[in-house]
Amino acid sequence: MNAPVNLKGKVAAVTGGANGIGREIARALAQAGAKVAIGDLDGEAARLTAEALTAAGLDGAVFGVELDVTSSSSFAGFLATAEARLGPVDVLVNNAGVMWVGPFDAEPEAAAERQITVNLLGVIRGVKLAAPAMVARGSGHIITIASASSILTTPGEASYSAGKHGVLGYLKAVREELHRSPVQLSVIMPAVVDTALAAGTGTGAAKLLQPADIAAAVLATIDRPRFEVTIPAYIGPLMRFINVLPGQVRDLLMRQLVPNQVREVDRGARATYEAQFGEPD
């Protein structure tokens, strides 16, 4: 059995940390002894989550504030507040994300823009703001929660997939720029996770994951840094194998393994979540 990860004295900042995956990541980090700053667009929810984690008697100090990852000033303020209250940020977890599901030609323009702005530009913003300070200090780790959609073909999630593919491409390029520095970059790419973001979607051949599965992967990645992490772990090697197959065989296998969200989505189950994007054009 592996020894528990000890993050005593470390400072972590988690975006989109009020609910779902982000909340579990914050919980796991604090349980491991880290001091944790939770940022979320819903500032009150972030504060309530921090209070709940503190009341649970976790080892690390936790606080929550409002954070809009689409605003550079908001993101910079979040990191500055974390440093002022807890100390220099050792680990940034880029977790904030949104997803619209349905046919590409029925997607509201606002939904496409929101997904790219939050899911891709939010990550870019976080890396730009956090990495230089980490490089100057000589240490730091930026972990981005992307998606298996970064490497899979996922019908019904065109703009979401575009953003997640972009995240992986961006981090690959930045990793090369930082290869002589001690700063670590990691991208965690899970299959479907049981959260509001994925409500009503199919899982394909993979089992439905829980937020705690992603939190455990974050701790394991801090303990033993790796760049690309897929959950389940077999997705990475499987995709490398599939990608060397002839095109027709590759397409056939992908259609068996990956859910077609256009056909499988339960629109009623997603109605409350997707109200944030407005009605289709």
Side-chain angles (χ1 to χ4, degrees):
M1 175 180 285
N2 293 332
V5 177
N6 184 354
L7 299 179
K8 191 79 172 177
K10 298 294 185 179
V11 175
V14 182
T15 73
N19 299 288
I21 294 172
R23 182 187 180 105
E24 287 306 308
I25 290 172
R27 182 197 306 278
L29 290 167
Q31 207 159 28
K35 296 176 282 186
V36 184
I38 295 173
D40 199 280
L41 188 61
D42 186 340
E44 181 60 19
R47 287 184 282 273
L48 290 173
T49 293
E51 290 173 6
L53 295 181
T54 300
L58 300 179
D59 289 343
V62 186
F63 78 90
V65 295
E66 181 178 346
L67 164 64
D68 180 358
V69 299
T70 71
S71 163
S72 292
S73 60
S74 179
F75 212 139
F78 169 60
L79 294 175
T81 300
E83 179 165 355
R85 293 183 61 166
L86 305 175
V89 174
D90 298 293
V91 179
L92 169 64
V93 182
N94 282 317
N95 168 73
V98 294
M99 181 172 74
W100 185 90
V101 176
F104 73 91
D105 54 351
E107 181 183 46
E109 185 174 341
E113 291 181 352
R114 182 71 178 162
Q115 288 171 97
I116 298 301
T117 303
V118 173
N119 300 349
L120 176 55
L121 297 181
V123 169
I124 291 174
R125 188 169 285 112
V127 172
K128 282 186 173 182
L129 289 169
M134 292 177 174
V135 170
R137 288 199 310 272
S139 67
H141 197 161
I142 298 175
I143 300 174
T144 296
I145 310 302
S147 167
S149 290
S150 297
I151 56 175
L152 300 177
T153 302
T154 315
E157 298 176 4
S159 292
Y160 181 78
S161 293
K164 297 302 182 178
H165 274 69
V167 163
L168 181 57
Y170 178 80
L171 292 175
K172 283 180 176 179
V174 174
R175 180 170 178 259
E176 279 303 300
E177 293 189 39
L178 296 178
H179 81 280
R180 294 187 183 278
S181 88
V183 176
Q184 298 285 341
L185 292 183
S186 299
V187 55
I188 295 178
M189 298 173 283
V192 181
V193 186
D194 187 11
T195 63
L197 178 146
T201 62
T203 63
K207 71 173 184 177
L208 182 65
L209 299 169
Q210 297 301 315
D213 296 324
I214 317 310
V218 168
L219 288 189
T221 302
I222 294 172
D223 190 43
R224 297 184 63 185
R226 291 170 291 161
F227 177 55
E228 294 185 36
V229 179
T230 56
I231 311 173
Y234 68 76
I235 291 179
L238 179 61
M239 284 307 301
R240 287 191 287 274
F241 167 73
I242 289 176
N243 283 333
V244 302
L245 297 174
Q248 288 185 331
V249 178
R250 181 173 63 244
D251 291 346
L252 180 62
L253 281 174
M254 291 293 284
R255 287 169 186 144
Q256 297 298 314
L257 297 171
V258 179
N260 185 321
Q261 305 296 11
V262 175
R263 294 198 302 260
E264 298 184 31
V265 67
D266 180 345
R267 298 234 63 88
R270 293 193 62 75
T272 299
Y273 177 83
E274 291 195 355
Q276 65 180 299
F277 299 120
E279 295 299 320
D281 295 333

